[in-house]
Amino acid sequence: MPIASGRLNTPTFASLCSGVVLLAAIGGSGGCAIPIGAEKVSPRQSFREETRTALGSPELSNETREVLGRFGLHRQYTRAPEETLLALHQRALLDDRRDLLSALAELNYAQAEQSARSPRPWVPRQARDYYLSAAIYAHLYLVSASREKPPSPFDPRFRMACEVYNRGLAEGLSPAGETNPVVVLEAGARTLPVGPISLDVQPSPDLPVRADEIEQLLAADRFRVRGLTVRNREPGLGAPLIAITPNTDVPDLERRIPLTLFLRVHGDTKEWSEGRLQGVLELHSGFDGPTVDVDGRTVPLQTDTTAPLAHLLTDRFVWRVGRMQFFSSQQRVPNGIHPVLPYRPGRIPVVFVHGTFSSPVWWAEMWNTLAADPVLARRCQFWNYVYNTGNPLTLSAAAFRESLRAAVQDLDPEGRDPIVREMVVVGHSQGGLLAKLAVVDPGDALWRSVTSRALDAFELTEAQRAGVARNFFFEPVPYVRRVVFVATPHRGSYRASAFARRLAARFMRLPGELAELIQGLGDDREHVQFPPGVRNRVPTSLDSMAPDNPLLLALADLTPVPGVKAHSIIAVRGTGDPESGSDGVVSFQSARVDFAESELVIRSGHSVQGTPEAIEEVRRVLLEQVAQVFGPEGTRAAPPAAEK
């Protein structure tokens, strides 16, 4: 703009004024809102508007709205959404821009959601068809080679398409009108709004269970997990499922296994319209970050290992196991090792041993959280030991040692997996005593704590003599490298009073073999120093943990054999001096041991194993073991290139 003598050039300024008047005339009166502009909004509102999709709201994403606007379909979509979807599909047959497919994926998902809420009885069938159509469009958008360049993973449409695929696939295979999140895999033709698709079902050979054993499949994304801090979900493509199968070991409790469903689509939009679209429903294991190959590209599968666990813990039976197996000699859940996941060679076994009146459910928070650690998930496998917690301590410890040996022999009979022999045992309360009795060499110390007579001086049958040896004379388990004691009563629990022990004994049923062994001592019983109050009855686990039990005090003086490292977690309630405190069941002085490599005091009650501090301490110990077994490189979060 020319400037003369510091003033605006008059003719030019007049021209501008005329232009403003003209714009005002075109736009209407000065009182009307300006049609184009920018308004200031809060960061939260800005993010909400930029990330909205049909997955979480009744509104479409900005990207899909752009596609509708490109073809002038906004009004038509509002009046007749089904006809608009068909019209946009016809556009996609001639236009190879990839964003048409992402728009069709979201629009079909939105139509499915709308149909599912419709009161018309025939609409649910249409809903599942639109869900499956959405998954197909999303698949074509993500991996189709017949379009322009592949989408960037930073593109919001890419992330939306992944979720539309995963959720649309599960919902599209749910029976019409089904309110439960059931997924049914059926081979055959499915008639969809724009054309049929022929489906085949192919279970992957990596399944941890036979396909014919699966009783029901549930969509994991339809469940909200509560009570667990971490939900272990690996991102990728595929619908995470909960597979329910029979449990031959525990008939009262069905198994829940994580699986992932992947739909592989063969064809494009043109073949779909011509009725030649092919699809394969592939069922994969949900363990160990599975992948699939799609046109030479490695695609990770989405997994969810926490939802099956939480679904299992919804069953009231699992919460009653501890009580049932304390008062009864019967095993509603067989005593022994119960792996959280199927055995995987080359991983360190971490064995959790629960305490008295308890069960493995009380470890759920810990091992579910530890499984989310990328190093531990790759280097460790988690096992639970189940036992009748009312049995005498030495009897349970003997069964524990035998179970560890049997597990290694069954899983690796030829000795090809040295890592399975690098165990870490984590024991809570009485479980910590079982852990210690797996790593000490007692000699005759335990036997001398109850009698001054030699074993040969007793008149026993061979079976009775073997029973005594099993409980008092044994060798440590050579596979255990570390033990973690959690709130363990090494010198007894003050809660195990004489009154409590007598009361519990009135309701408990202990193994007959133990009663026979005690009775077999006959007149020789006067030479055995039984815990006070049990000379005329079979001792229980509470008797074993009495502070004045001579056998327990003898065990407290024993230390783990060379090569085994011990760590201690002690719980203390309140804010006072921890050395004079307790966790409400076990005193600090009873829980403390001099031989521990490390000791952590946590302000907590007796059930300390689910606290973040205890979980982090166990994680630290396990990472030490990983570094010891695999070297410093073994603690890397990413797998070595050779393992990819």
Side-chain angles (χ1 to χ4, degrees), residues 241-396:
L241 302 177
I242 302 171
I244 299 179
T245 67
N247 190 337
T248 55
D249 294 332
V250 190
D252 295 325
L253 191 64
E254 295 173 308
R255 296 184 187 276
R256 275 75 163 181
I257 300 174
L259 301 180
T260 297
L261 177 65
F262 181 76
L263 170 62
R264 190 184 298 270
V265 178
H266 299 288
D268 55 21
T269 52
K270 182 179 180 181
E271 290 173 297
W272 192 358
S273 296
E274 296 173 350
R276 297 186 291 114
L277 193 66
Q278 302 287 322
V280 180
L281 296 169
E282 301 175 356
L283 205 54
H284 295 268
S285 170
F287 300 130
D288 298 332
T291 62
V292 292
D293 182 86
V294 182
D295 295 333
R297 297 168 55 194
T298 299
V299 177
L301 293 177
Q302 181 144 312
T303 62
D304 186 336
T305 56
T306 299
L309 165 64
H311 193 270
L312 172 67
L313 296 181
T314 305
D315 194 320
R316 294 184 181 276
F317 175 83
V318 300
W319 297 96
R320 298 197 303 267
V321 168
R323 174 176 56 82
M324 290 187 297
Q325 300 212 158
F326 177 82
F327 288 109
S328 174
S329 61
Q330 297 181 350
Q331 300 176 19
R332 296 293 298 274
V333 176
N335 289 358
I337 299 295
H338 294 260
V340 175
L341 303 177
Y343 165 65
R344 289 164 292 178
R347 302 192 181 205
I348 299 171
V350 181
V351 187
F352 295 104
V353 189
H354 59 80
T356 309
F357 214 78
S358 186
S359 71
V361 297
W362 297 103
W363 290 112
E365 174 69 9
M366 177 174 285
W367 52 255
N368 181 66
T369 303
L370 294 176
D373 183 276
V375 175
L376 302 183
R378 184 167 56 92
R379 295 302 190 186
C380 298
Q381 53 189 320
F382 302 108
W383 299 353
N384 282 301
Y385 180 66
V386 177
Y387 65 106
N388 286 56
T389 61
N391 289 347
L393 177 64
T394 57
L395 187 67
S396 295

Side-chain angles (χ1 to χ4, degrees), residues 489-567:
H490 293 283
R491 293 173 181 81
S493 168
Y494 65 87
R495 287 289 187 182
S497 64
F499 173 76
R501 301 196 309 268
R502 289 195 302 270
L503 181 63
R506 295 182 60 184
F507 298 97
M508 296 169 68
R509 298 292 181 269
L510 297 173
E513 61 181 279
L514 187 61
E516 293 176 6
L517 175 60
I518 299 298
Q519 294 299 323
L521 293 174
D523 296 335
D524 291 329
R525 277 184 289 172
E526 64 184 42
H527 299 288
V528 179
Q529 186 181 357
F530 288 108
V534 298
R535 285 188 174 275
N536 297 316
R537 64 176 174 84
V538 178
T540 69
S541 62
L542 297 184
D543 298 312
S544 301
M545 290 182 288
D548 55 357
N549 187 315
L551 186 146
L552 183 65
L553 297 178
L555 175 61
D557 292 333
L558 298 178
T559 59
V561 295
V564 176
K565 297 182 178 181
H567 306 267

Side-chain angles (χ1 to χ4, degrees), residues 75-94:
R75 291 187 178 180
Q76 181 180 342
Y77 177 72
T78 303
R79 296 193 309 267
E82 297 178 0
E83 289 81 352
T84 305
L85 296 185
L86 295 175
L88 193 58
H89 179 86
Q90 294 300 316
R91 295 274 186 176
L93 297 178
L94 305 174

Side-chain angles (χ1 to χ4, degrees), residues 60 63-74 76-77 80-108 137 147 194 269-270 272-273:
L60 300 171
E63 291 77 15
T64 295
R65 292 170 63 85
E66 290 174 8
V67 173
L68 289 175
R70 181 189 307 163
F71 301 108
L73 295 175
H74 270 304
Q76 181 180 342
Y77 177 72
E82 297 178 0
E83 289 81 352
T84 305
L85 296 185
L86 295 175
L88 193 58
H89 179 86
Q90 294 300 316
R91 295 274 186 176
L93 297 178
L94 305 174
D95 193 327
D96 67 352
R97 281 176 286 187
R98 194 176 289 270
D99 61 357
L100 269 73
L101 298 178
S102 69
L104 280 164
E106 184 181 11
L107 289 167
N108 275 268
Y137 282 120
R147 299 269 157 175
V194 298
T269 52
K270 182 179 180 181
W272 192 358
S273 296

